[in-house]
Amino acid sequence: MDMSVFDLFKIGIGPSSSHTVGPMVAARRFLLECEPLDDAVAVEAHLYGSLALTGVGHATDKAVILGLMGATPQDIDPDAVEGKLDEAELDGKLALLGVKEVPFSARTNLVWHKTATLPEHPNGMRFVLRFADGREIDKAYYSVGGGFITAAGETKAAQASVLVPYPFDTMSQLLALGKANGLTIPQMLRANERARMSEEELDAGLDRIWQVMRDCIAHGLVTNGQLPGGLNVKRRAAVLWKQEQEAHLSGERRNALPHDALNHVSLFAMAVNEENAAGGRVVTAPTNGAAGIIPAVLRYYAEDCKPINPAAGIRDFLLTAAAIGMLCKRNASISGAEIGCQGEVGVACAMAAAGLVAALGGSNERIENAAEIGIEHHLGMTCDPIGGLVQIPCIERNGMGAIKAITAASLALKGDGTHFVSLDDVIETMRQTGYDMQAKYKETSLGGLAIHVVTVNHAAC
């Protein structure tokens, strides 16, 4: 499996890995593949399927324009986005990769194909670059979930692989490797990453991922206001967190409930996804729509589980979580547009559950058990965002998914590692369930809550 932990965990901006991060990367890649741009005179972007149907709510239009300007998700300043876009629209020009200006307007140069799809994935896009001599370059790309992109035909092409000491495509293979070599899953993942980079680079990269996650939680817990997009959804995490802190400082316990400790975990997850919905800096984990679950459970581990060596535990957590994400992407999907929210929140829950078990010293079999529980109890979850925005029900789903991950880890740790359903079986079940799911429930905003709530609200007006 030619996939790295840093493929699963990417630093970017909200609100969507497949609809924001992926299109930005694809737009920039297209122009890089077309260089030199000296004689370019025009560019168009055509968006299909789910990208067209929910693209405005997911800021796909903004992401494409930024990508054409040469921006990258990991480097763009979220606070500078609107200024850059306003300036380009006002000037009526776009500096391709920041160097070659061509006429451009979002109203005419972005084309939304809401009733058509490209053949390889629901998240398809085409870019067309025209030159002064009449030449034209036309290429198609797909945003396949979690910020991953492929060019047309790449999904079927043989990819060059990095030779790793413990190659695996299924959990059964990974368990067998662990048993044969006397190694844990995080130890094997670490060895595989060492085939790509030094020990120091790996640890620095993992620490950077955790730092960005931690910063995202912190910012979300102090930021009030209303989320963009027109639904008038108010941020709740900061308000609820302030109430929690004030009650703690005052010693007020009249309204305390036994499960208030877990409420903190929900708030951490919601804080991240409110940041995501506002276009802030997040880590895809494995997607933006499910970005709050792993940071929330990681913070729970670091603060509430009282680890002796938290830095080592956090690294083991991320390496193990990545292994589960790799298996889900390889054998099913992490794209809501392809298999629904079971592939986003469900996979993130499984990754967090497995990571927590590993960080707490659980066996490989218990790690598998926790991941299997996490996915099993999200099977069939639809992706039906109201207004095409990553807000309702996405934000609360992250809070619930984080709690489920802790529950799954607890169940697995208290068992002996034996379980009836294998992770490989539940991943295949998720794939088949997604295949059978109607398109209106897969990030198109054509079914479920996306139309029911809007219909009710319109009827009441």
Side-chain angles (χ1 to χ4, degrees):
M1 185 184 296
D2 189 21
M3 210 179 303
S4 166
V5 60
F6 301 111
D7 292 326
L8 269 296
F9 297 116
K10 302 184 185 74
I11 298 171
I13 61 171
S16 172
S17 50
S18 60
H19 287 58
T20 312
V21 175
M24 189 187 300
V25 172
R28 181 173 182 270
R29 173 179 163 179
F30 168 69
L31 291 180
L32 289 172
E33 292 174 345
C34 292
E35 287 186 309
L37 305 174
D38 298 346
D39 297 326
V41 295
V43 67
E44 288 180 358
H46 296 256
L47 302 163
Y48 295 82
S50 177
L51 291 181
L53 289 163
T54 63
V56 173
H58 286 71
T60 304
D61 48 347
K62 298 177 181 180
V64 166
I65 295 170
L66 290 168
L68 292 173
M69 294 168 71
T72 61
Q74 64 270 25
D75 294 322
I76 187 74
D77 178 2
D79 295 330
V81 166
E82 294 301 329
K84 287 178 177 290
L85 295 171
D86 290 345
E87 182 179 355
E89 190 65 23
L90 183 64
D91 293 343
K93 299 176 184 175
L94 203 62
L96 303 181
L97 296 182
V99 295
K100 172 60 179 176
E101 284 193 342
V102 297
F104 188 91
S105 171
R107 292 186 296 274
T108 56
N109 295 87
L110 292 179
V111 185
W112 307 87
H113 299 270
K114 295 186 177 182
T115 60
T117 58
L118 296 181
E120 294 178 24
H121 194 277
N123 290 333
M125 63 198 108
R126 281 179 46 244
F127 298 99
V128 182
L129 186 66
R130 297 186 175 90
F131 295 87
D133 61 4
R135 287 184 302 119
E136 188 176 281
I137 299 177
D138 187 329
K139 289 188 177 183
Y141 299 84
Y142 298 90
S143 182
V144 297
F148 290 86
I149 64 163
T150 60
E154 271 188 348
T155 53
K156 301 184 177 93
Q159 300 292 318
S161 296
V162 174
L163 293 177
V164 296
Y166 304 105
F168 64 96
D169 287 321
T170 65
M171 177 54 85
S172 64
Q173 292 175 357
L174 190 56
L175 290 173
L177 285 168
K179 189 172 183 178
N181 294 278
L183 296 172
T184 66
I185 288 174
Q187 286 172 337
M188 289 185 286
L189 266 290
R190 175 171 286 276
N192 285 354
E193 293 298 324
R194 286 295 314 280
R196 301 177 173 91
M197 66 195 75
S198 70
E199 191 91 16
E200 293 74 20
E201 289 172 324
L202 174 59
D203 285 343
L206 294 172
D207 294 346
R208 170 64 175 155
I209 292 297
W210 171 227
Q211 183 64 54
V212 174
M213 288 179 170
R214 188 168 52 189
D215 290 347
C216 187
I217 293 174
H219 194 267
L221 289 177
V222 297
T223 306
N224 292 293
Q226 189 167 285
L227 296 174
L231 288 182
N232 302 322
V233 174
K234 291 183 179 180
R235 288 178 179 251
R236 288 181 290 165
V239 175
L240 295 172
W241 181 248
K242 183 179 180 182
Q243 292 174 358
E244 291 275 348
Q245 300 311 296
E246 289 175 347
H248 176 72
L249 290 173
S250 67
E252 175 63 68
R253 286 294 179 266
R254 286 178 298 174
N255 297 319
L257 295 170
H259 59 262
D260 277 355
L262 287 181
N263 186 48
H264 291 179
V265 176
S266 294
L267 292 183
F268 299 154
M270 290 173 61
V272 170
N273 279 81
E274 287 177 353
E275 285 293 291
N276 178 62
R281 173 82 61 216
V282 298
V283 175
T284 60
T287 68
N288 282 30
I293 295 171
I294 288 172
V297 178
L298 259 176
R299 181 159 167 172
Y300 166 80
Y301 164 74
E303 295 184 357
D304 293 300
C305 295
K306 297 180 172 53
I308 296 173
N309 187 345
I314 288 166
R315 293 165 187 164
D316 283 351
F317 186 119
L318 290 171
L319 289 166
T320 304
I324 305 304
M326 292 173 191
L327 289 169
C328 291
K329 176 167 172 48
R330 166 69 175 79
N331 298 312
S333 174
I334 56 172
S335 168
E338 194 168 21
I339 64 169
C341 199
Q342 60 176 354
E344 297 199 38
V345 166
V347 171
C349 176
M351 292 169 67
L356 182 57
V357 171
L360 293 173
S363 66
N364 291 347
E365 290 74 20
R366 289 183 175 90
I367 290 170
E368 183 203 14
N369 189 195
E372 179 274 320
I373 294 170
I375 293 179
E376 181 180 329
H377 296 287
H378 284 92
L379 287 175
M381 180 177 278
T382 59
C383 184
D384 51 354
I386 296 174
L389 299 166
V390 192
Q391 297 178 17
I392 303 173
C394 318
I395 294 170
E396 286 182 353
R397 279 185 180 172
N398 276 260
M400 299 299 292
I403 299 301
K404 282 188 177 182
I406 294 172
T407 302
S410 178
L411 287 170
L413 283 166
K414 291 175 181 177
D416 62 4
T418 59
H419 46 284
F420 195 82
V421 180
S422 73
L423 180 61
D424 291 330
D425 285 342
V426 83
I427 291 175
E428 173 58 17
T429 302
M430 179 174 68
R431 186 193 69 80
Q432 292 181 12
T433 302
Y435 179 82
D436 291 338
M437 191 181 292
Q438 294 183 49
K440 67 181 181 179
Y441 297 118
K442 295 191 283 190
E443 209 166 0
T444 59
S445 286
L446 296 176
L449 286 174
I451 64 165
H452 176 72
V453 173
V454 172
T455 300
V456 171
N457 288 344
H458 285 175
C461 293

